């Protein structure tokens, strides 16, 4: 399994930086990368409402069905 940070060539720093990266990818239209990063972040903090919301939004925008 390829980690999302392999896409940018840098190891993960901290949750806030990773979330900022994901949000910037999401806002720029790179929904697939945003989803990968949100999913990785969610695996580390499963109760994070902000990440859950952003992941759901990105999946909706991409046409993915989470059921």
């Amino acid at each position: 399994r390829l980690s999302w940070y392999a896409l940018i060539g840098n190891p993960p720093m901290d949750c806030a930086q990773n979330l900022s990266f994901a949000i910037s990818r999401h806002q720029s239209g790179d929904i697939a990368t945003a989803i990968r990063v949100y999913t990785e972040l969610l695996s580390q903090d499963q109760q994070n409402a902000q990440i859950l919301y952003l992941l759901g939004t990105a999946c909706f925008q991409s046409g993915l069905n989470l059921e």
Side-chain angles (χ1 to χ4, degrees), residues 16-47:
Q17 284 181 312
N18 295 339
L19 185 55
S20 291
F21 172 76
I23 291 170
S24 71
R25 300 298 350 145
H26 192 163
Q27 290 174 335
S28 71
D30 186 0
I31 304 296
T33 298
I35 288 172
R36 284 193 297 270
V37 178
Y38 293 145
T39 302
E40 181 70 28
L41 290 169
L42 199 56
S43 73
Q44 298 168 22
D45 185 3
Q46 293 141 1
Q47 300 300 314

